[in-house]
Amino acid sequence: MYSVPKLKSFTEAALDKAVEKLLAALKEEASAIKTEAEWKTFRDRWMARKNGVLTEINDLWLKAAPKEAKREVGQRVNQLKALVEEAVAKAEDLPAHGSAADSPKAATDSLDVTLPGNRRPLGSEHPVIKTMHEIVSVFRNLGYSVEEGPVIETDYYNFEALNFPPNHPARDTQDTLFISNQESKPQRERLLLRTHTSPVQIRTMEKMKPPVRIVIPGKVHRNDPPDASHSPMFHQVEGLAVDTNITFCDLKGTLDHAMKVLFGSSVKTSFRPSFFPFTEPSAEMMVSCFICGGSGKRGSEPCRPCKQTGWIEILGCGMVDPNVYGFVDYDPKKVSGFAFGMGADRIAILKYGVDDIQLFFNGDVRFLEQFG
Ligand code: 2NL
């Protein structure tokens, strides 16, 4: 086995000879490597910081060289270093040393075509997104188009244009999450996370003249502490129809049809008075409980989803308040319209019988897989 000799002479001829011997040893040892373990031994023998051949030539040749030979020896040591590194790298990716059979590295590199392929788990639509798509497609089939808009909104689009005057207490009902450091801007330009998708309807009415029939699915945020029925991020689908002569009857007929498609043709709908700043009159729509069929009972047990009332509150709606038209340059004397909004997460919970909204968002695949 080659070992680095001490040099008696540092003449060019002596150096040539020493380098030649070293390179011959390097070549011979490299060509004898058959296994990965042997390659590692080879690498360490030549490159280890402690007692590796390169360290030895540094100590025995370069450090020992007289001043006048340092430059020449230094250059050769550097060249050798490069050659050794190259030989070690080359030996690593050459499984052709020896036969493939006795080289574990070669064995792992070869392809066993009889093995089963890598199975990649198929993803599927998230139950909330799936529910949103179902709701949206009901309205697309009625001729509505789909609009989307920014989740980070201005005070103007989330509140002012929707008939929430600045500092009006009705804003408190929205539990808004505000973006920080907005105080230097005029109030209407300050940024916040939209609390409903209604800003998209304002943006659409700004760029589109009536007739308008649109649905808006999207994420919204409210400063609600998370529990089984609340999440600071949730999903809404809102809709808007503006045209000449749109009445509350159109609202009732449209929404009654949508509920029959979503929950089955036997459900009934019922409207109760409510309040929203952006609609007048406003209503909450109830759907007869599709779990208990409206009886309030499941066998002898009380029906939980409808709290034994036989009705489930499903959405808010109303006729667009004429004040809203003022903000988008529509003439409230010529046009009228209805609007509605529903929580897609809540509807998904009811449809699938899920008891905790958090399950939708904490990303446990075992839960989500059930909807594939
Ligand atoms: C709810 C209630 C609603 C609207 C949303 C709306 C939008 C414009 C004008 C008028 Cl631009 N109204 N949207 C109307 C009534 C109710 O949502 O409880 N959502 C979860």
Side-chain angles (χ1 to χ4, degrees):
M1 176 88 92
Y2 175 81
S3 70
V4 180
K6 281 190 182 166
L7 295 183
K8 291 190 193 84
S9 157
F10 287 88
T11 61
E12 268 196 48
L15 288 170
D16 281 345
K17 217 168 160 188
V19 165
E20 197 182 310
K21 272 196 181 161
L22 184 146
L23 288 177
L26 178 69
K27 201 170 159 193
E28 193 187 319
E29 286 180 32
S31 67
I33 297 170
K34 289 198 190 66
T35 66
E36 190 162 356
E38 284 173 6
W39 171 77
K40 281 189 176 149
T41 310
F42 170 71
R43 176 197 63 190
D44 295 346
R45 179 168 139 66
W46 287 82
M47 291 178 49
R49 246 169 240 275
K50 233 180 168 179
N51 304 328
V53 172
L54 287 178
T55 305
E56 299 233 297
I57 59 176
N58 207 49
D59 292 346
L60 297 177
W61 297 2
L62 185 59
K63 282 188 188 156
K67 235 188 198 156
E68 60 277 13
K70 279 254 197 271
R71 206 182 136 82
E72 175 73 22
V73 178
Q75 274 174 7
R76 292 190 186 239
V77 167
N78 279 341
Q79 280 163 6
L80 286 173
K81 196 173 162 224
L83 289 169
V84 168
E85 280 168 0
E86 194 187 310
V88 169
K90 248 192 191 157
E92 185 184 16
D93 47 42
L94 271 188
H97 302 292
S99 69
D102 59 19
S103 162
K105 187 165 164 55
T108 54
D109 281 352
S110 72
L111 178 68
D112 182 350
V113 293
T114 66
L115 287 171
N118 290 331
R119 273 175 229 272
R120 289 177 198 282
L122 269 187
S124 61
E125 227 174 17
H126 188 282
V128 172
I129 303 295
K130 190 167 155 172
T131 303
M132 279 213 284
H133 283 160
E134 280 167 20
I135 300 166
V136 164
S137 73
V138 173
F139 290 95
R140 279 177 61 93
N141 287 337
L142 292 174
Y144 287 59
S145 44
V146 183
E147 295 284 338
E148 289 184 289
V151 174
I152 298 175
E153 264 295 359
T154 59
D155 184 282
Y156 177 78
Y157 285 109
N158 198 73
F159 289 125
E160 206 177 327
L162 286 157
N163 202 32
F164 293 83
N167 305 317
H168 193 281
R171 292 177 172 224
D172 296 350
T173 63
Q174 300 281 308
D175 298 314
T176 313
L177 287 159
F178 294 93
I179 308 269
S180 58
N181 300 322
Q182 302 291 304
E183 295 75 15
S184 61
K185 295 178 182 169
Q187 181 163 5
R188 55 168 52 187
E189 288 170 29
R190 293 182 194 168
L191 298 176
L192 45 80
L193 297 181
R194 70 178 181 195
T195 58
H196 41 197
T197 54
S198 317
V200 187
Q201 287 154 311
I202 301 295
R203 289 176 179 278
T204 307
M205 287 192 280
E206 279 179 346
K207 64 181 192 207
M208 215 192 265
K209 290 280 145 220
V212 166
R213 282 171 180 74
I214 51 172
V215 260
I216 296 104
K219 283 195 196 314
V220 300
H221 293 78
R222 293 195 187 184
N223 187 17
D224 281 330
D227 64 24
S229 55
H230 294 84
S231 162
M233 185 282 299
F234 58 104
H235 299 80
Q236 248 198 345
V237 180
E238 284 199 32
L240 173 75
V242 182
D243 205 336
T244 49
N245 299 317
I246 295 230
T247 68
F248 203 89
C249 285
D250 297 311
L251 178 160
K252 289 179 82 171
T254 304
L255 293 179
D256 184 76
H257 164 78
M259 295 307 118
K260 287 180 160 61
V261 178
L262 287 172
F263 300 112
S265 56
S266 59
V267 298
K268 295 184 171 62
T269 53
S270 157
F271 292 80
R272 319 202 164 164
S274 184
F275 173 83
F276 302 109
F278 33 80
T279 45
E280 184 59 37
S282 306
E284 268 159 19
M285 190 181 70
M286 317 293 284
V287 173
S288 59
C289 182
F290 43 84
I291 314 283
C292 67
S295 68
K297 286 210 171 62
R298 301 179 75 183
S300 56
E301 295 286 307
C303 180
R304 198 109 53 95
C306 67
K307 298 185 195 102
Q308 301 181 68
T309 64
W311 295 93
I312 294 175
E313 187 192 328
I314 219 81
L315 56 75
C317 56
M319 302 306 288
V320 177
D321 192 300
N323 288 350
V324 173
Y325 295 132
F327 288 99
V328 294
D329 211 17
Y330 281 14
D331 185 349
K333 290 198 197 73
K334 290 193 180 137
V335 296
S336 59
F338 65 80
F340 55 89
M342 61 192 108
D345 325 76
R346 197 177 128 71
I347 293 177
I349 282 173
L350 292 167
K351 264 182 89 100
Y352 296 113
V354 173
D355 59 12
D356 186 352
I357 193 175
Q358 302 301 324
L359 289 165
F360 284 140
F361 307 126
N362 59 21
D364 188 330
V365 179
R366 293 167 301 179
F367 171 75
L368 297 172
E369 261 171 0
Q370 301 176 75
F371 303 91

